[in-house]
Amino acid sequence: MTAYQPPGESGAGTGPARGPAPAAYDAVVLAGGAARRLGGADKPGVRVGGRALLDRVLAACAGARGTVVVAAPRPTARPVTWAHEDPPGGGPLAALDAGLRHTTAEHVVVLSADLPFLEARTVDRLLSTLRASAADGVLLTDPEGRDQPLVAAYDASRLREGLALLTDRHDGLAGLPLRRLIAELNLTRISDPVASFDCDTWDDIATARARIREHGHVLDEWISTVKDELGIDLEVDIRGLLDLARDAAHGVDRPAAPLTTFLVGYAAAQAGGGPEAVAEAARKAAALAARWAEESTETTQTSGAEPQPDVAPDATPDTRPDAG
C-alpha cells in the first residue's frame, strides 16, 4: 500500500500491539545510505521471501504507536511518517535526529532497514529489558559480540540529550559515526544472533533468502508475506487450520482441504473477522469433517454385512403382538 505522509504529520498507527504493553513506544527506522557494498542498489527495497527488507522491519515494530522512516518516501506495507536528515546524506546521527523529532513516546526503538529476521518478540524483549533497568538503552550484539546500535531500544530523552551534546561539541551531526553517541550513553546489551543479522552484501541477501526456505521457517514466512500482501493484520491458529485441512482431505476428498479453509475464512469475515471468528468457524468445520469421516468408516465396516432395514438409526422396533 502507499502510505506517504509528509514530514511533520503525526504517524498513523501501525497495527495493534502484541498483548498489553506497559507503555507506548515509537519506532525510528533508518532506511537511507548509499548501499555501496550492494553496488548502490535500493537496499530497503530488496526482497527477501517476497517482501522488501523495509517492510519486514516495519512488521517487526507493528506495535509502535508511531513509526518514522528516515528516507525518501516509497510504497510500504504499513503506514509511516517520512523524515529526511539535514543535510541530505548527513549520516546516521543526522538521520536519527531527524526521525526522533517526529516522536513523542518515552521509549523509542531504533532500527536499520536491512534486518530480514527481526521479529516483534525481539522488539518486545528490548523494550521490556529497558523498562526493567536504569539504563539509557538496550541494544543487541551480533555473534561476534559487536554492538548493533541500530537494533535497540532507548530512553528518548537521553537520546535527545546525547544528540544535543554532540551537536554543540561538533557544530552539527553531519558525518559523525554512531559510536560517538553510544559513548555518551549507559547501555545494556543482550544477544540475539538471528535478529541482529543484517544484509550488507549480496552474499548476505542470498543467505537470508536461503534460510527462510529451510524446513521449519518457510510456512511462517509464507503466511507473514501473504498477510502483508493482502493487508491482513490477524493472528490465527495456523496449526489448527492445517489440522482442519488435513482432516478435510483425509475424511472427505483431497480438494476439500483448500476449499474448506477458504470457506472458513469467508465465514469468519462475515462474522466480523478476528481470531475468535476464525477459531469458531474452524471448530464447526472440523466437527463436520469428523462426522463425515465417521460415516465413511461406518459405511466401509458394514459394506459386507446383511442388508439393514431402511429405518432411522434411532427408530424403536414395533414389538406389539399385532404388529405386522
Side-chain angles (χ1 to χ4, degrees), residues 51 55 62 66 78 133 159 252 263-264 278 283 285 287 289 309:
R51 284 191 292 171
D55 283 335
R78 295 178 182 273
S133 72
L159 272 189
V252 183
L263 292 172
V264 164
V278 174
R283 183 193 64 78

Side-chain angles (χ1 to χ4, degrees), residues 294-308:
E294 287 172 4
E295 290 180 10
S296 177
T297 301
E298 290 172 358
T299 300
T300 301
Q301 291 174 345
T302 60
S303 59
E306 292 293 329
Q308 300 295 312

Side-chain angles (χ1 to χ4, degrees), residues 13-74:
T14 55
R18 293 170 176 258
Y25 75 94
D26 289 329
V28 174
V29 181
L30 306 190
R36 294 183 180 86
R37 297 171 69 184
L38 287 177
D42 174 27
K43 182 161 67 169
V46 172
R47 296 185 179 275
V48 173
R51 284 191 292 171
L53 284 171
L54 175 57
D55 283 335
R56 298 179 72 90
V57 172
L58 293 179
C61 59
R65 183 177 65 186
T67 300
V68 184
V69 179
V70 186
R74 66 177 67 221

Side-chain angles (χ1 to χ4, degrees), residues 9-182:
E9 290 189 14
S10 58
T14 55
R18 293 170 176 258
Y25 75 94
D26 289 329
V28 174
V29 181
L30 306 190
R36 294 183 180 86
R37 297 171 69 184
L38 287 177
D42 174 27
K43 182 161 67 169
V46 172
R47 296 185 179 275
V48 173
R51 284 191 292 171
L53 284 171
L54 175 57
D55 283 335
R56 298 179 72 90
V57 172
L58 293 179
C61 59
R65 183 177 65 186
T67 300
V68 184
V69 179
V70 186
R74 66 177 67 221
T76 55
R78 295 178 182 273
V80 302
T81 294
W82 298 97
H84 298 277
E85 71 270 28
D86 185 21
L93 285 187
L96 176 57
D97 181 63
L100 202 60
R101 294 176 185 274
H102 295 267
T103 67
T104 57
E106 178 184 359
H107 299 125
V108 60
V109 172
V110 178
L111 305 167
S112 61
D114 60 353
L115 303 165
F117 305 132
L118 183 69
E119 295 183 355
R121 60 188 176 188
T122 300
V123 172
D124 291 343
R125 183 182 173 207
L126 288 166
L127 288 164
S128 61
T129 303
L130 175 61
R131 290 164 179 153
S133 72
D136 299 330
V138 179
L139 53 75
L140 291 192
T141 57
D142 67 13
E144 285 73 42
R146 293 186 294 259
D147 287 347
Q148 299 293 311
L150 296 184
V151 198
Y154 296 98
D155 179 297
S157 63
R158 289 294 295 123
L159 272 189
R160 292 187 178 93
E161 291 171 6
L163 290 169
L165 178 66
L166 292 174
T167 299
D168 291 342
R169 187 181 297 165
H170 299 279
D171 195 25
L173 297 170
L176 294 180
L178 270 170
R179 65 175 180 271
R180 296 287 181 89
L181 176 62
I182 299 306

Side-chain angles (χ1 to χ4, degrees), residues 217-236:
H217 298 289
V218 65
L219 181 59
D220 288 340
E221 286 288 346
W222 171 247
I223 294 301
S224 295
T225 301
V226 171
K227 289 196 297 184
D228 266 8
E229 190 71 16
L230 299 180
I232 299 171
D233 192 7
L234 176 68
E235 295 297 329
V236 297

